[in-house]
Every structure is written in structure tokens, then in C-alpha cells.
Amino acid sequence: DAGVIQSPRHEVTEMGQEVTLRCKPISGHNSLFWYRQTMMRGLELLIYFNNNVPIDDSGMPEDRFSAKMPNASFSTLKIQPSEPRDSAVYFCASSFGTSGYTGELFFGEGSRLTVL
Amino acid sequence: KQEVTQIPAALSVPEGENLVLNCSFTDSAIYNLQWFRQDPGKGLTSLLLIQSSQREQTSGRLNASLDKSSGRSTLYIAASQPGDSATYLCAAPNDYKLSFGAGTTVTVRA
């Protein structure tokens, strides 16, 4: 299996621009997580999907952030408008799980976002 | 809420020495525990997943133990090599969420 695939790997943009990050989870996995990692705050869970349905978006910092999962093999995280404090590495991770259980979690390589 | 702590934050050892990395968690009602490795600029790589019914899990030079009653897990890396230099994170579940420790950054000196 190719693992979790994220794109782009690096994104440099200017404040106010729209950013879209993409994720392809491992085939057969039904749980998908978006995380953000910074030196100051470590790994933060942004949103969790189970069977393509957003279950928990309490970690999404503001209305500027939105995420979708139109099908089992694709998810996007969008930031509009972007701000310098959004600069971080964004990870997508997938597993097989239920509403109360998460199996072994596999991460993508991440998308490093820099907002100038 | 599940709180995960990893001590020490950093560790430096000479090549060949065995590594012992500690992880503690506050809620012992876990169904599994996972150890990850993260290299600089990379994603997290799953090393070992221990189910709650297991006390140990082994993969090559890596061995992870789990003691739910004391809220502790330990990752042992035998005969360390410079290529083992990385940050190691443990994660314990809280419902469907994983709570991550801050990690232990390991440097193996040649």
C-alpha cells in the first residue's frame, strides 16, 4: 500500500490567500484525522471523520478553517483567508475505527505551510 | 481527559547502548497504546501498537511493554545505532482520539 498521501508537501503563500491541503487515506481505512503540529503546541487534532462524516471538529481553530471528505479516498482542509499564525505542518492520518475506537494510526508526510 | 507524559524530553547515548524511553498516561482504561518515530521534517511512523490485552510487543530491536494498572509504557531499543536518532512519541487513546506525549528526542553518538 502507498500509505497516506498528502499534497502539497510545501506551500508558501501570502496572508489573505486561500490554502487547500489534500489527503488520500490508506485504502480500507474508514477513519481520517487532520492534525496540526507546531513547536509551541505540539500535535493538535483539528477534525475527525468516520465513514466520511465529520464526527468531531472541535479542534478547528476558527471559521477560516474548513474540511471535507466527499468520499472514502479523499479529504481536503481549507484555510480561507490564511494568516501568518496558521504556519505549521499539517498532517493527515488514517486508521480503521469506530466511534469509540481507533486502530493503528498511520500518518502522511505532512504539508508544511508558511504564510507570509 | 487522557494526559500523556514522556520523560526525559531528550536523551543522548553512545552507539551500542540500550535505550529506555518512558511514557505515562493518566487514564488506564485504554484499549491500545501506540509508539511512533518522527524524523526531522517528516511524518510520524508507527513503530508498535500494543493492545490492552498484551503486556509486550516486539519488532526487531524494539520492544514495548505496557502496564495499564500503573499507567506506564516503556519502549526499549537494543544496541542503539546512529540511525535511531529521532523523536519518539507515544499515544494513548481517549475514546476515538489519541493523546500524544511531547516526545523524547534521542541522539545516538557514533
Side-chain angles (χ1 to χ4, degrees):
Chain A
D1 201 311
V4 177
I5 299 173
Q6 291 186 246
S7 64
R9 290 293 315 279
H10 302 274
E11 175 90 10
V12 179
T13 191
E14 294 190 347
M15 182 173 64
Q17 296 298 305
E18 177 179 296
V19 174
T20 299
L21 308 178
R22 298 172 179 79
C23 175
K24 176 178 169 59
I26 291 173
S27 177
H29 283 181
N30 66 340
S31 293
L32 186 139
F33 302 79
W34 281 100
Y35 287 90
R36 178 170 67 177
Q37 187 178 41
T38 61
M39 289 293 291
M40 291 294 292
R41 295 188 297 272
L43 269 169
E44 301 174 279
L45 176 64
L46 299 178
I47 188 167
Y48 161 62
F49 291 88
N50 186 256
N51 294 323
N52 311 338
V53 176
I55 303 298
D56 183 354
D57 65 354
S58 60
M60 297 286 262
E62 301 169 33
D63 290 345
R64 299 184 295 107
F65 286 70
S66 63
K68 294 182 179 179
M69 191 163 187
N71 57 61
S73 58
F74 184 65
S75 177
T76 59
L77 178 68
K78 185 178 293 186
I79 307 172
Q80 165 65 11
S82 57
E83 296 183 4
R85 59 195 169 117
D86 302 330
S87 297
V89 182
Y90 291 81
F91 288 106
C92 176
S94 73
S95 72
F96 179 79
T98 66
S99 59
Y101 171 84
T102 291
E104 188 171 6
L105 192 61
F106 294 88
F107 280 77
E109 288 289 331
S111 294
R112 181 175 295 274
L113 174 64
T114 302
V115 183
L116 303 174
Chain B
K1 182 188 173 190
Q2 182 73 271
E3 305 268 351
V4 178
T5 304
Q6 292 185 251
I7 296 173
L11 190 57
S12 179
V13 300
E15 183 177 4
E17 191 164 301
N18 295 332
L19 284 163
V20 180
L21 307 179
N22 299 304
C23 171
S24 61
F25 47 93
T26 55
D27 185 352
S28 62
I30 59 171
Y31 48 80
N32 61 31
L33 185 138
Q34 197 167 353
W35 281 92
F36 295 88
R37 167 183 173 142
Q38 186 173 29
D39 294 287
K42 300 287 189 180
L44 281 71
T45 301
S46 177
L47 294 175
L48 290 166
L49 177 75
I50 314 175
Q51 300 294 346
S52 61
S53 57
Q54 298 175 303
R55 292 190 64 83
E56 284 189 7
Q57 184 71 265
T58 298
S59 176
R61 294 184 295 111
L62 275 59
N63 174 275
S65 66
L66 176 62
D67 184 344
K68 285 179 57 178
S69 61
S70 67
R72 294 184 181 185
S73 178
T74 303
L75 179 66
Y76 301 90
I77 303 177
S80 61
Q81 304 168 358
D84 295 328
S85 298
T87 298
Y88 293 83
L89 298 94
C90 71
N94 176 18
D95 197 352
Y96 54 82
K97 297 183 183 183
L98 292 190
S99 294
F100 286 83
T104 296
T105 298
V106 171
T107 302
V108 180
R109 307 186 303 271

